[in-house]
Amino acid sequence: MKKCLFLGLVAMVGALTANAEGIRAVQLDLARQKESVAFVKAYAKRAADVGYNTLVLYLEDRVKTPSYPYCTDAESYSLAEMKDLVAHCIGLGLDVVPVISPLGHTERFLRHPELQKFAEVPVGGIGRFGVVKEPTVFCLSDPEARAWMENYIREVVAVFPGKNLHLGFDETWDLGYCPRCRPVMEKEGLAKLYLQSVKWADGVAKRLGKRMWMWDDYFDFFPEAVAEVPRDILMCCWNYDKNIEKCGPRAHFGGRLRRDNLKIYEELGFECVFCPWFEYQNVRTFTEYAATRKTSGAFYTQWEMETDFHGTFLPRMLGTGLLWSGRAPHAGGAWMDAGIAAAYPTTDERLRRTIRGLVLDQLKFKFDTPSVGDALNSRPQAGRLAYWRNAVGELRAAPSHPGVGPVPADPLSETALLDDLAVRTEMSLLCFESMDAVRYLADPDLLKAVLSATSKSGETDTAKWMLGKAAADVKANIPVLLKRPGPAAADVPQQVRVRTWQDKSAVYVLAVNMKSEPFRGTVRIPGAGKLGKVLSGAGARTSRPGVLALDFTPFGHALVALGRQ
């Protein structure tokens, strides 16, 4: 029994590192945020250093060509720039795969008046989710649309000498709603319409001497249609659940079914790659599941970098590359520690433990545009907020942190990453302090009663009922409050963050000391009067209208209501 268990563990470890000879891809989303050529080159170097052998550039319409001159130079790459970038990556030993989506995710093309005639559903038309405000699907039943798209793809891939071409095919929500497509969908089904476009795209790839890659999510709606897909297409099996079970992941959209997709692809004769994303548990469990199946490799997806931060994203990307290339062990999350060490090479073990906690903790939120729902449902306990405050102090005290000096031009340097992580954590603190403000503003008397009842009686039925009612009242009031921003604060010291709201009778101000040292100073709130009421915190007063004097302890805050002038 022990021998069998040992052999099973050996086989698992071998399978986890079997990608040494297969595809080890990492994606950079340039469609949602265009990066400089210099940045992409630096990113490619970091990827190659940790064992990735393929860089996937998610482009959509980012390359300007003779047939597509509509983008400004500032929001696009020239063919010469892309050729230079691809040559640099090839020199690093990377295969470079462009992603151009000819069916769904074509909204960037369709925003231009010259191409709007190719939309499956125009602005104001009726699609899957009702009235369409932004067209997202090309009608590939239109011969003119097919010809235009094939020509654009040909122009772009001319500077990509590799054999692979990713043509998307995910999330094609409005397919089947135009006058050409609807009769086919109603008579023969959506699968028929979708497969026609897939086979057309495969033909385009073949005519260009490329092998087509595609996402597999839309087959959730007609799983039997997979059997009709050309077998030379590489299936990119993505799933972002935290826990990918050995019996197969749940479906991409709403968990409608559970399928062992990797096993099905093997049985049908497809080659496939498994595609996790930045979440630690997703990478771990997806890799473990894929180790029990036959795949052609692994593909680390990354989307919308403008809502993420390099300080937390880069260690995860680096660690995953080290794991898949067999350079870091799988057990105990050691590969994550290896990624942190690669991103922050001069930090000591104590600071790396702090960074590890922040990297894992910060996966849940994107704090530059905080979600009210996330903040209400995932309110950190006081201990976690204290941990964040201490962590900021540790990061700022690190020898390689830039301090008050300029941040290095290279955003992937250790110095820039430390500053990035400190700022992200500060934003986390500010987000939840701000949400506290919204809670108080929603119904101060009710919330005080809730706190009193909870503190006196613990988790009694009465307290639970009051908490539930308070949550409902807060949710009902938050949208109104957030639509009433207050006047922009003036003369705000660098150490303090300020947010304001207002109603007919008062201006509400939340001021937060972002440093681990005391602060004394003032901020000016145009249009506000003198202090009316302190709702939370301490250390705020007014000596004259519209001027808030602050006397803060380290990381102190005050939420106050000021009268109106």
Side-chain angles (χ1 to χ4, degrees):
M1 178 66 179
K2 290 182 178 179
K3 182 177 181 181
C4 291
L5 179 60
F6 174 75
L7 292 176
L9 290 172
V10 170
M12 174 67 79
V13 172
L16 287 172
T17 59
N19 291 315
E21 301 303 324
I23 296 168
R24 297 185 305 279
V26 61
Q27 178 176 277
L28 190 58
D29 183 353
L30 300 176
R32 279 59 178 265
Q33 176 164 310
K34 178 178 179 285
E35 302 283 2
S36 69
V37 171
F39 174 87
V40 181
K41 287 181 177 179
Y43 187 89
K45 176 67 165 59
R46 298 301 293 266
D49 286 346
V50 295
Y52 291 103
N53 58 20
T54 303
L55 178 64
V56 179
L57 298 180
Y58 186 80
L59 296 172
E60 293 185 0
D61 77 327
R62 281 295 185 187
V63 182
K64 196 171 186 176
T65 72
S67 69
Y68 185 61
Y70 311 117
C71 291
T72 65
D73 291 342
E75 63 174 337
S76 60
Y77 300 99
S78 69
L79 286 168
E81 286 177 316
M82 195 54 62
K83 183 176 182 179
D84 172 63
L85 174 57
V86 171
H88 175 83
C89 294
I90 292 173
L92 296 171
L94 295 170
D95 179 28
V96 188
V97 181
V99 184
I100 305 169
S101 299
L103 185 61
H105 287 297
T106 52
E107 56 269 20
R108 289 185 56 82
F109 291 109
L110 295 172
R111 65 199 167 117
H112 300 290
E114 296 85 350
L115 302 180
Q116 288 173 1
K117 60 184 177 181
F118 298 142
E120 179 81 7
V121 184
V123 174
I126 304 298
R128 178 182 293 270
F129 302 118
V131 177
V132 171
K133 296 180 180 179
E134 179 185 50
T136 62
V137 176
F138 243 58
C139 177
L140 293 181
S141 296
D142 180 349
E144 186 182 357
R146 289 199 303 270
W148 186 92
M149 183 60 76
E150 179 169 355
N151 186 50
Y152 176 75
I153 293 171
R154 179 182 294 108
E155 291 174 328
V156 174
V157 302
V159 298
F160 287 83
K163 65 178 181 179
N164 298 308
L165 169 62
H166 200 312
L167 291 176
F169 277 86
D170 59 320
E171 301 175 349
T172 58
W173 303 119
D174 287 337
L175 179 64
Y177 284 83
C178 81
R180 282 189 178 90
C181 297
R182 182 178 285 276
V184 177
M185 181 177 71
E186 292 177 346
K187 182 179 180 180
E188 303 183 61
L190 184 61
K192 175 75 171 181
L193 196 58
Y194 184 76
L195 285 169
Q196 285 179 355
S197 295
V198 170
K199 292 174 181 178
W200 168 82
D202 186 47
V204 172
K206 285 184 171 70
R207 288 190 287 276
L208 295 173
K210 307 291 185 183
R211 183 190 190 183
M212 178 176 162
W213 293 14
M214 70 174 292
W215 306 115
D216 70 342
D217 54 271
Y218 222 61
F219 290 110
D220 283 3
F221 298 104
F222 29 77
E224 70 286 347
V226 175
E228 299 182 47
V229 174
R231 295 302 189 270
D232 56 346
I233 293 177
L234 181 82
M235 303 298 286
C236 297
C237 179
W238 69 264
N239 195 287
Y240 300 151
D241 285 350
K242 274 190 177 182
N243 185 28
I244 306 293
E245 299 179 27
K246 296 298 192 300
C247 56
R250 294 187 183 277
H252 303 82
F253 311 117
R256 295 174 59 249
L257 73 164
R258 183 191 296 280
R259 284 162 49 88
D260 191 343
N261 286 324
L262 299 185
K263 182 180 180 181
I264 292 170
Y265 295 149
E266 181 180 352
E267 292 173 345
L268 291 174
F270 286 101
E271 288 190 50
C272 64
V273 290
F274 71 96
C275 311
W277 70 338
F278 63 80
E279 209 282 324
Y280 166 78
Q281 295 286 5
N282 176 251
V283 172
R284 181 182 66 79
T285 59
F286 211 164
T287 301
E288 291 171 355
Y289 158 61
T292 66
R293 301 289 182 260
K294 181 180 178 181
T295 70
S296 296
F299 178 178
Y300 186 96
T301 62
Q302 173 271 122
W303 304 103
E304 303 183 24
M305 184 66 88
E306 81 274 10
T307 60
D308 211 328
F309 282 59
H310 301 307
T312 53
F313 170 78
L314 191 69
R316 294 173 253 153
M317 184 274 277
L318 298 176
T320 303
L322 293 166
L323 169 66
W324 288 346
S325 61
R327 304 183 193 185
H330 175 266
W335 56 277
M336 176 66 81
D337 294 329
I340 291 170
Y344 300 94
T346 71
T347 56
D348 59 26
E349 186 60 33
R350 182 174 183 275
L351 185 55
R352 285 182 191 173
R353 284 197 300 269
T354 297
I355 292 171
R356 189 181 200 275
L358 291 173
V359 168
L360 295 176
D361 209 18
Q362 300 282 354
L363 297 182
K364 301 175 182 137
F365 310 105
K366 298 180 186 301
F367 285 113
D368 57 333
T369 52
S371 161
V372 172
D374 282 347
L376 282 171
N377 297 324
S378 307
R379 175 69 167 90
Q381 297 177 347
R384 181 178 290 178
L385 294 179
Y387 169 72
W388 288 351
R389 293 187 185 103
N390 292 333
V392 170
E394 289 186 42
L395 294 169
R396 296 291 190 201
S400 51
H401 187 274
V404 296
V407 176
D410 177 8
L412 301 181
S413 68
E414 180 180 22
T415 299
L417 292 174
L418 282 169
D419 185 67
D420 181 87
L421 188 56
V423 169
R424 180 178 175 87
T425 307
E426 288 175 337
M427 291 176 73
S428 304
L429 287 165
L430 181 60
C431 169
F432 284 107
E433 296 287 4
S434 299
M435 290 306 148
D436 268 346
V438 175
R439 290 164 184 261
Y440 279 104
L441 297 181
D443 192 339
D445 294 332
L446 178 60
L447 289 177
K448 285 179 182 178
V450 169
L451 293 173
S452 175
T454 305
S455 63
K456 291 178 180 178
S457 58
E459 291 296 320
T460 64
D461 290 342
T462 301
K464 289 180 180 178
W465 175 83
M466 293 182 72
L467 284 168
K469 187 175 186 305
D473 288 346
V474 170
K475 289 180 180 179
N477 281 278
I478 278 177
V480 176
L481 290 164
L482 291 184
K483 290 178 182 177
R484 296 175 181 170
D491 304 328
V492 180
Q494 186 175 4
Q495 186 171 337
V496 176
R497 303 288 175 87
V498 177
R499 289 186 67 172
T500 65
W501 298 265
Q502 62 185 341
D503 60 21
K504 294 180 180 180
S505 61
V507 176
Y508 303 92
V509 181
L510 173 73
V512 183
N513 178 9
M514 304 304 296
K515 301 289 185 180
S516 58
E517 56 193 38
F519 171 79
R520 286 187 178 182
T522 60
V523 296
R524 186 164 53 85
I525 312 296
K530 287 192 174 184
L531 181 64
K533 188 176 183 181
V534 176
L535 300 171
S536 175
R541 59 183 178 82
T542 54
S543 56
R544 60 184 187 274
V547 177
L548 196 62
L550 304 174
D551 186 3
F552 278 157
T553 58
F555 298 111
H557 83 281
L559 172 65
V560 300
L562 303 180
R564 302 188 70 92
Q565 284 187 319

